[in-house]
């Protein structure tokens, strides 16, 4: 059975004992620990050594970065000028490994020595002052590495530590939580499959009951009256089913939330639309205000190129129409023009001031 591969990244000489302890911990969990000094990386003769490390990061399942007071050797793509002064900017091999993991969206766990993080906070308050002598780091690039990590929108948990035991405790808790979340997702998928099966069975049961009831009504009530009852109830059930579809559609939810349109009104406007223009006209009538297409998409997603706006609007509308059993509407040239000016009913052109 394949085992999770954990890549451990850090500078070597100042943290070699910590790296050895981390290797033992990872292996005790039944995982494979990937460390450059242990011969776990396959080096390619026609590539620099650090390029092989970056490639190996891409084959890993988890990335652990330990940041201490040393920034490390310069990456092969650098100038290799020596020695490096404190404020010289360059990329180290450790930073290259981190970037490889971040670019591939590999789950990352970052540990920073508490004294280093304290000096990072001092650095933030004194960026323009180069007269400060930092006691615990050998390069300003360490601070910039921490800045890069914190700037990520996600996948950037940072834990400070003084002792190795704090590292092991934190990683154990994090990975236990990750495993539990995986179990919960698996359990949720199984429950969803069971629920879908039950819904399908109930749907078949409803069809059978509907057939029985129609037969009973047709024999108990007069012919015309029974037909009317069956027709009215069938329409009521269809309307209720379509309202449920509308309530779960993202476009309909947006119109209901932002413009306070009732669910039946959204359904009626959608099914009766004959074109994109008529859809916006009916929306304006229902909201008693001009319907601003640009505002719509500025709220839904970041507004892309204007030429794409119409197709995106049409796709959203047609997705709702198709789920209601209605044919899709074509994106016409007139629709494209109207979307560029937010239609006759919708706001100003974004070029207007």
């Amino acid at each position: 059975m394949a085992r999770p591969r954990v890549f451990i990244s850090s500078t070597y000489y100042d943290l070699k004992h910590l790296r050895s302890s981390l290797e033992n911990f990872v292996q005790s969990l039944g995982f494979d620990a990937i460390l450059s000094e242990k011969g776990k990386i396959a080096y390619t003769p026609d590539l620099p050594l650090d390029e092989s490390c970056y490639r190996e990061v891409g084959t890993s399942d988890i990335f652990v970065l330990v940041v201490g007071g040393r920034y490390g050797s310069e990456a092969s793509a650098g100038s290799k000028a020596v020695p490096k002064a404190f404020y010289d900017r360059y990329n180290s091999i450790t930073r290259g490994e981190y970037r490889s993991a971040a670019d591939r969206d590999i789950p990352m766990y970052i540990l920073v020595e508490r004294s280093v993080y304290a000096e990072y906070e001092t650095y933030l308050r004194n960026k323009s002052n180069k007269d400060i002598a930092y006691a615990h780091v050998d390069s300003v690039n360490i601070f910039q590495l921490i800045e890069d990590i914190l700037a990520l929108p996600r996948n950037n948990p940072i834990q400070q530590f003084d002792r190795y035991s704090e590292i092991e405790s934190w990683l154990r808790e994090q990975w236990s939580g990750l495993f539990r979340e995986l179990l919960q997702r698996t359990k949720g998928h199984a429950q969803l499959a069971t629920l879908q099966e039950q819904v399908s069975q109930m749907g078949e049961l409803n069809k059978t009951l509907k057939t029985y009831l129609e037969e009973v009504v047709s024999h108990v009530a007069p012919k015309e009256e029974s037909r009317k009852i069956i027709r009215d109830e069938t329409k009521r059930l269809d309307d209720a089913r379509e309202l449920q579809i509308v309530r779960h559609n993202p476009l309909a939810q947006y119109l209901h939330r932002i413009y306070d349109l009732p669910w039946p009104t959204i359904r009626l406007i959608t099914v009766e639309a004959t074109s994109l223009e008529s859809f916006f006209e009916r929306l304006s009538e229902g909201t008693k205000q001009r319907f601003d297409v640009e505002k719509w998409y500025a709220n839904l997603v970041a507004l892309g190129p204007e030429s794409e706006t119409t197709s995106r609007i049409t796709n959203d509308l047609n997705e709702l129409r198709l789920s209601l059993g209605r044919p899709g509407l074509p994106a016409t040239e007139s629709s494209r023009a109207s979307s560029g000016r937010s239609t006759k009913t919708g706001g100003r052109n974004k070029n207007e001031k």
Side-chain angles (χ1 to χ4, degrees):
M1 180 179 293
R3 303 196 298 178
R5 293 166 55 83
V6 180
F7 192 101
I8 299 173
S9 176
S10 74
T11 51
Y12 174 69
Y13 289 106
D14 58 327
L15 299 173
K16 59 182 178 180
H17 298 298
L18 185 149
R19 290 172 63 87
S20 179
S21 298
L22 263 177
E23 179 188 20
N24 292 334
F25 167 65
V26 169
Q27 291 178 343
S28 72
L29 297 176
F31 302 165
D32 283 337
I34 311 301
L35 299 92
S36 58
E37 69 271 22
K38 296 294 182 176
K40 296 291 185 71
I41 296 176
Y43 292 103
T44 303
D46 57 348
L47 289 176
L49 296 181
D50 58 329
E51 293 292 337
S52 296
C53 293
Y54 309 151
R55 183 190 59 195
E56 196 71 22
V57 169
T59 68
S60 302
D61 302 298
I62 295 174
F63 181 81
V64 176
L65 172 63
V66 184
V67 179
R70 292 174 62 92
Y71 184 55
S73 303
E74 186 173 7
S76 58
S79 63
K80 298 298 182 183
V82 290
K84 297 291 185 183
F86 184 86
Y87 283 98
D88 287 344
R89 304 294 176 87
Y90 67 97
N91 289 321
S92 69
I93 295 175
T94 302
R95 187 170 190 164
E97 292 171 346
Y98 152 72
R99 284 305 331 165
S100 295
D103 291 344
R104 292 173 171 85
D105 205 24
I106 296 171
M108 295 193 297
Y109 299 88
I110 297 98
L111 297 125
V112 182
E113 281 189 330
R114 200 176 306 278
S115 58
V116 172
Y117 201 91
E119 290 204 321
Y120 164 70
E121 292 179 331
T122 302
Y123 163 77
L124 291 179
R125 293 170 172 79
N126 300 274
K127 280 188 175 184
S128 60
N129 185 356
K130 293 190 177 183
D131 295 328
I132 297 179
Y134 294 96
H136 297 286
V137 299
D138 67 355
S139 172
V140 71
N141 293 289
I142 293 177
F143 301 144
Q144 292 169 349
L145 172 59
I146 297 174
E147 276 190 306
D148 286 350
I149 294 169
L150 293 174
L152 292 176
R154 59 181 183 82
N155 193 23
N156 60 341
I158 288 184
Q159 176 72 10
Q160 300 177 45
F161 71 94
D162 287 317
R163 300 179 301 277
Y164 166 74
S165 59
E166 295 174 313
I167 294 178
E168 185 173 313
S169 176
W170 184 68
L171 289 178
R172 192 185 299 275
E173 290 180 1
Q174 290 296 316
W175 294 346
S176 295
L178 185 64
F179 182 60
R180 185 176 187 278
E181 183 179 347
L182 175 61
L183 292 177
Q184 291 295 321
R185 288 183 182 180
T186 303
K187 181 180 177 182
H189 291 160
Q191 291 175 340
L192 181 59
T194 302
L195 181 60
Q196 289 175 334
E197 182 179 351
Q198 292 174 348
V199 169
S200 178
Q201 292 174 352
M202 289 181 63
E204 293 301 319
L205 178 61
N206 285 338
K207 289 180 182 178
T208 301
L209 290 175
K210 183 174 179 290
T211 301
Y212 286 163
L213 288 173
E214 288 178 354
E215 188 68 21
V216 170
V217 170
S218 64
H219 285 81
V220 172
K223 188 173 183 180
E224 289 302 321
E225 184 178 347
S226 64
R227 287 179 178 175
K228 183 177 184 304
I229 292 174
I230 293 171
R231 185 171 58 251
D232 290 348
E233 284 303 303
T234 299
K235 183 179 184 305
R236 187 184 66 80
L237 289 173
D238 288 343
D239 289 348
R241 178 184 60 81
E242 289 190 350
L243 281 177
Q244 281 296 104
I245 292 174
V246 168
R247 287 191 179 98
H248 289 85
N249 180 270
L251 168 59
Q253 290 171 353
Y254 173 80
L255 295 174
H256 177 73
R257 184 177 70 255
I258 301 299
Y259 294 94
D260 200 28
L261 281 172
W263 299 114
T265 301
I266 297 173
R267 170 186 167 274
L268 189 64
I269 290 173
T270 301
V271 299
E272 292 186 352
T274 57
S275 65
L276 203 56
E277 292 92 335
S278 68
F279 177 71
F280 287 126
E281 288 172 1
R282 293 293 302 275
L283 282 176
S284 296
E285 294 170 3
T287 57
K288 302 296 189 295
Q289 59 180 302
R290 294 197 308 170
F291 189 78
D292 191 337
V293 181
E294 292 176 7
K295 179 183 176 183
W296 177 5
Y297 272 92
N299 279 277
L300 283 178
V301 290
L303 187 62
E306 187 172 309
S307 60
E308 296 179 4
T309 304
T310 297
S311 62
R312 292 163 62 189
I313 295 172
T314 306
N315 288 341
D316 286 350
L317 174 58
N318 283 341
E319 181 180 342
L320 179 54
R321 283 180 58 86
L322 291 172
S323 65
L324 294 173
R326 271 61 170 188
L329 301 175
T332 63
E333 289 301 320
S334 58
S335 297
R336 186 172 293 107
S338 65
S339 72
R341 62 175 184 274
S342 295
T343 78
K344 294 183 292 184
T345 62
R348 300 181 303 174
N349 187 300
K350 63 184 177 183
N351 292 324
E352 295 177 13
K353 302 296 182 183

